[in-house]
Amino acid sequence: DQQVKQNSPSLSVQEGRISILNCDYTNSMFDYFLWYKKYPAEGPTFLISISSIKDKNEDGRFTVFLNKSAKHLSLHIVPSQPGDSAVYFCAASAEDDKIIFGKGTRLHILP
Amino acid sequence: EAQVTQNPRYLITVTGKKLTVTCSQNMNHEYMSWYRQDPGLGLRQIYYSMNVEVTDKGDVPEGYKVSRKEKRNFPLILESPSPNQTSLYFCASSNRKTYEQYFGPGTRLTVT
């Protein structure tokens, strides 16, 4: 049973436009959510996080929105830049300290 | 420089030959974790540790062992590797409170 789902394996966005990556989860006990970015041949790097007591967190071009009633979070990147082309992973943690990752979404920024 | 190091980066071995992948962090982080990344499956947590001498199973612990004798080190041990353990492995560490993990560069393991 997949507790963290990223239903879009890939996404293409024009440079300068908004990229929206989505993530759904099933476990209502998750209390912290994170987004990671991964380039080929490198380890993932932390991007942005949000606690379950908030509904929005912003850091520069990156904003994460959390809708607890829908068990849905999204990452907005504005404006999208060529260096944003990467695989993005959504992750969640619960009180048991396990961290569950989604399968990832590959973002292509088109010139 | 804050970092997580893993060794070796690449390893080809044969079925049944015990191996250890080392992981070390220099950030005094409490939380350390091992993941494997497989095509179409994303990152799956193998084991994690909340502090010295405290380890717990993640989602895919079968066939792996870990130990946490020192805060900075968290080795992954495969007592009897099998071909289905061929994968890309990542070690990560974080401050337990935030879980904003720093990842190592990865170890690509092939078991023939």
Side-chain angles (χ1 to χ4, degrees), chain B residues 6-27:
Chain B
Q6 295 178 227
N7 282 293
R9 295 288 313 278
Y10 302 91
L11 179 59
I12 301 173
T13 189
V14 295
T15 299
K17 186 177 181 181
K18 181 180 179 180
L19 67 92
T20 298
V21 184
T22 64
C23 173
S24 183
Q25 51 96 2
N26 62 1
M27 295 165 280

Side-chain angles (χ1 to χ4, degrees), chain A residues 5-24:
Chain A
K5 298 178 185 179
Q6 294 179 257
N7 292 319
S8 299
S10 68
L11 175 68
S12 294
V13 174
Q14 208 75 34
E15 181 179 353
R17 306 295 289 268
I18 182 171
S19 294
I20 300 176
L21 296 100
N22 294 303
C23 180
D24 296 299

Side-chain angles (χ1 to χ4, degrees), chain A residues 6-75:
Chain A
Q6 294 179 257
N7 292 319
S8 299
S10 68
L11 175 68
S12 294
V13 174
Q14 208 75 34
E15 181 179 353
R17 306 295 289 268
I18 182 171
S19 294
I20 300 176
L21 296 100
N22 294 303
C23 180
D24 296 299
Y25 61 95
T26 57
N27 187 346
S28 58
M29 299 304 293
F30 286 145
D31 57 5
Y32 209 77
F33 302 90
L34 309 103
W35 284 94
Y36 287 84
K37 175 180 180 178
K38 186 182 183 302
Y39 293 120
E42 295 182 11
T45 55
F46 169 75
L47 206 52
I48 192 168
S49 63
I50 187 166
S51 164
S52 61
I53 62 173
K54 296 186 175 181
D55 54 20
K56 178 183 175 181
N57 188 26
E58 198 170 350
D59 183 2
R61 296 187 298 115
F62 304 93
T63 304
V64 56
F65 295 92
L66 175 62
N67 182 334
K68 279 184 292 182
S69 61
K71 294 192 177 68
H72 176 83
L73 66 155
S74 60
L75 174 68

Side-chain angles (χ1 to χ4, degrees), chain A residues 34-37 44-46 87-89 101, chain B residues 99-101 103:
Chain A
L34 309 103
W35 284 94
Y36 287 84
K37 175 180 180 178
T45 55
F46 169 75
V87 177
Y88 289 78
F89 291 100
F101 278 76
Chain B
Y99 299 110
E100 295 165 8
Q101 298 178 91
F103 279 79

Side-chain angles (χ1 to χ4, degrees), chain A residues 3 31-32 34 36 38 41-46 49 87 89 93-104, chain B residues 9 31 35 37 40-43 45 48 50 57-59 88 90 96-106:
Chain A
Q3 296 187 63
D31 57 5
Y32 209 77
L34 309 103
Y36 287 84
K38 186 182 183 302
E42 295 182 11
T45 55
F46 169 75
S49 63
V87 177
F89 291 100
S93 69
E95 288 182 344
D96 62 0
D97 293 313
K98 276 187 182 178
I99 297 178
I100 309 295
F101 278 76
K103 294 184 178 181
Chain B
R9 295 288 313 278
Y31 189 94
Y35 298 88
Q37 183 184 12
L41 296 177
L43 286 159
Q45 193 174 43
Y48 61 99
M50 291 179 285
K57 295 178 181 178
D59 274 349
L88 179 58
F90 290 102
R96 183 187 173 190
K97 190 172 181 181
T98 65
Y99 299 110
E100 295 165 8
Q101 298 178 91
Y102 288 75
F103 279 79

